[in-house]
Amino acid sequence: MKLAIGSDKSGFAAKEAIKAWLTEQGIDFEDLGTTDPEQPKNYVIVASTVAPKVQSGEFDRAILICGTGAGMNIVANKYKGVHAVACEGVYSAKMARAINNANVLAMGGWIVGPEMAVQMVKAFLETDWLQDLEDWRQVNLRGFDQRVHALEDEIYGA
């Protein structure tokens, strides 16, 4: 799996903790900014740098951190095929993958501390779509996923 990570100044501390954990785990990632907290990039710039790279398939998943996660989430979801979810805990990060097949985890550096951020990323990366869900729910979610992709095609063109 190839992973992109990015933050604004508000998410910098969480991003650095996540990067240290990813490095310890041997997970391939690229930091797309902010790389210097003295010269921060704002969330619009970071998310609009990361999301197209997920959209194109250059990266399989991404982690975006701003103050609340909302700004990164809004911008990332403007790109067809990018399914970002703003989460505030481990359970929501896990279920964003299992239920929503999210490929971008957004979070808030003002909301979760660096240790919680690492645990959220761990859950997000270790969970597969439909993992541990009942058969009936898997059937429904596959259908919903098809409808979401059809909606994206209608909005953005095939």
Side-chain angles (χ1 to χ4, degrees):
M1 173 188 325
K2 183 113 190 227
L3 182 70
I5 189 168
S7 76
D8 64 6
K9 186 173 184 173
S10 300
F12 188 79
K15 181 177 65 79
E16 293 302 300
I18 293 165
K19 285 172 44 181
W21 180 81
L22 293 170
T23 300
E24 288 172 9
Q25 301 303 307
I27 297 171
D28 187 24
F29 72 91
E30 186 172 336
D31 182 351
L32 297 174
T34 292
T35 56
D36 180 354
E38 299 304 316
Q39 297 179 341
K41 296 178 183 179
N42 71 46
Y43 72 87
V44 175
I45 300 299
V46 175
S48 62
T49 299
V50 171
K53 293 177 182 287
V54 174
Q55 180 184 44
S56 72
E58 182 178 343
F59 293 99
D60 302 305
R61 295 191 201 162
I63 311 299
L64 294 172
I65 312 120
C66 61
T68 64
M72 293 282 197
N73 185 58
I74 289 168
V75 174
N77 278 315
K78 301 299 182 204
Y79 294 84
K80 180 181 178 182
V82 174
H83 302 145
V85 179
C87 296
E88 294 184 0
V90 174
Y91 184 76
S92 59
K94 176 180 178 169
M95 299 316 281
R97 284 287 308 136
I99 291 175
N100 305 111
N101 201 17
N103 53 12
V104 176
L105 172 62
M107 66 180 83
W110 296 336
I111 297 170
V112 301
E115 291 178 22
M116 174 64 79
V118 168
Q119 292 306 308
M120 291 168 63
V121 169
K122 183 176 188 287
F124 184 75
L125 297 180
E126 291 179 350
T127 303
D128 293 322
W129 184 43
L130 306 175
Q131 181 177 318
D132 301 328
L133 300 178
E134 306 94 326
D135 290 341
W136 68 267
R137 191 178 305 269
Q138 290 184 26
V139 169
N140 285 341
L141 289 171
R142 283 188 183 96
F144 297 154
D145 189 63
Q146 289 173 352
R147 290 174 66 186
V148 167
H149 289 288
L151 183 59
E152 283 183 328
D153 288 344
E154 181 181 320
I155 293 168
Y156 297 107

